[in-house]
Amino acid sequence: MSMITERPVSNSAGQPPVRTVPEESAARDVRGVIAAYVALTKPRIVELLLVTTVPAMMLADGGMPSLWLVAVVLLGGSLAAGAASVLNCYIDRDIDQLMRRTKRRPLPAHTVSPRNALVFGLVLAAVSIALMAAFTNLLAAGLTLAAILYYDLVYTLWLKRTTTANTFWGGACGAAPVLIGWAAVTGSLAPAAWALFAVVFFWQMPHFYPLAMKYKDDYARAGIPMLPVVASARRVNAEILIFAWLTVLTSLAAWPLGMSAIYGVPTLVVGGIFLVEAHKLCRRVVRGEAVKPMRLFHWSTTYLTIVFAAVALDALI
């Protein structure tokens, strides 16, 4: 007879029942499953995308939009970004199991079945588009649908596996939330929206290439032609510098499109630091020194956060 009972047991002092071992195990299993599904949505990417959405909405509104509209766009945008990431994990499950960086993701780790991941991703996508269509407008909903389809069908299925320009062409997905947020407020797209879109678009190359440099062997093992895998160090350096400069110049070009020095001055300062870090990385590569690519990777995230915080502050003041 088993000595483990499945019924709650009160102690002699009349304290609340203590959960039994099977109950504790079941609770851990439920938490583990929930954590696995959350991991499929890549929450850190969702967070970064939302950093650009709300400031774009504020600039479009000329202040603070309706909190209800902000909540709907944040929820719809989070679900859409999560859906795109889940479907990306489903499509990339063959290569994720070959890379040290990704082999612990829920699909290669067999925590979630491919079928369940596919259903989960499609449901998230449907809910996100329905929310945007019902509570914002058709332009914002259409852009949301286009971003999901482009990321998963064009970038993940095709570009990522076939061309060294995959990061460049995939940049449109990461920049789409700017347009979606703007469209949700105004029902249209203005030059300032496209300028901010361009900032995020160009930013993704100097942001992602350092990560690809660090995990170069992983991508090579999986047969993914990321630029640092198949191109010379000189070519990678050139693209990092070109796109870092384009990012900063585009951010400054957005200055006269409805913003003041509240946006321009901090953008100029952090842009200068961003360029210095990009040049430092490239010099270390040329000299054969320890490259430390993640320094630029992390700083680029800080750069983008500060630029869009300046957008929001300018819109409020």
Side-chain angles (χ1 to χ4, degrees):
M1 172 181 279
S2 171
M3 295 180 65
I4 301 176
T5 177
E6 297 186 9
R7 293 175 300 177
V9 178
S10 298
N11 58 32
S12 58
Q15 293 177 345
V18 179
R19 285 194 306 176
T20 61
V21 172
E23 290 175 326
E24 292 176 349
S25 178
R28 284 195 299 270
D29 289 344
V30 170
R31 287 195 297 269
V33 170
I34 292 173
Y37 277 94
V38 171
L40 284 172
T41 67
K42 302 179 183 177
R44 294 184 67 183
I45 293 178
V46 173
E47 177 185 346
L48 184 60
L49 295 178
L50 297 182
V51 162
T52 65
T53 304
V54 176
M57 294 179 69
M58 295 172 67
L59 183 61
D61 186 76
M64 191 67 200
S66 156
L67 292 181
W68 164 252
L69 181 62
V70 172
V72 168
V73 173
L74 286 179
L75 178 58
S78 298
L79 293 175
S85 293
V86 173
L87 296 173
N88 167 267
C89 288
Y90 172 78
I91 295 167
D92 275 353
R93 64 191 186 280
D94 59 332
I95 60 175
D96 279 351
Q97 63 186 350
L98 302 176
M99 299 171 60
R100 283 191 295 270
R101 184 172 68 92
T102 57
K103 67 181 181 181
R104 292 186 181 87
R105 286 178 177 173
L107 287 176
H110 305 293
T111 310
V112 177
S113 72
R115 179 182 179 279
N116 288 349
L118 176 60
V119 171
F120 181 50
L122 293 174
V123 169
L124 289 181
V127 173
S128 68
I129 296 163
L131 276 174
M132 298 298 284
F135 298 108
T136 62
N137 53 65
L138 292 181
L139 177 59
L143 289 170
T144 301
L145 173 61
I148 295 172
L149 292 176
Y150 187 90
Y151 181 69
D152 289 312
L153 300 183
V154 178
Y155 171 73
T156 304
L157 264 179
W158 175 35
L159 296 172
K160 181 176 180 180
R161 299 170 183 244
T162 59
T163 174
T164 58
N166 48 23
T167 303
F168 176 83
W169 294 112
C173 308
V178 172
L179 300 182
I180 294 169
W182 191 286
V185 173
T186 67
S188 62
L189 296 173
W194 287 108
L196 295 179
F197 172 90
V199 171
V200 184
F201 178 83
F202 290 133
W203 165 86
Q204 288 180 91
M205 273 61 74
H207 170 71
F208 185 75
Y209 284 155
L211 184 69
M213 291 169 67
K214 178 174 182 179
Y215 295 104
K216 176 180 176 179
D217 293 340
D218 260 5
Y219 286 115
R221 188 179 302 109
I224 301 300
M226 292 298 178
L227 191 69
V229 175
V230 298
S232 65
R234 181 177 180 181
R235 166 79 182 279
V236 177
N237 283 354
E239 293 212 14
I240 287 175
L241 293 179
I242 288 170
F243 287 113
W245 275 96
L246 283 173
T247 301
V248 174
L249 291 175
T250 305
S251 71
L252 295 176
W255 186 348
L257 299 177
M259 289 180 282
S260 69
I262 295 173
Y263 165 82
V265 172
T267 296
L268 182 62
V269 172
V270 295
I273 299 172
F274 183 41
L275 291 174
V276 168
E277 289 297 331
H279 279 272
K280 281 183 178 179
L281 172 63
C282 294
R283 280 200 301 270
R284 288 194 293 267
V285 172
V286 171
R287 294 172 181 172
E289 301 172 355
V291 178
K292 301 177 182 178
M294 297 305 286
R295 179 183 174 95
L296 178 59
F297 174 82
H298 291 303
W299 172 251
S300 66
T301 302
T302 302
Y303 163 81
L304 193 71
T305 302
I306 292 174
V307 167
F308 276 85
V311 172
L313 185 61
D314 195 296
L316 281 177
I317 296 178

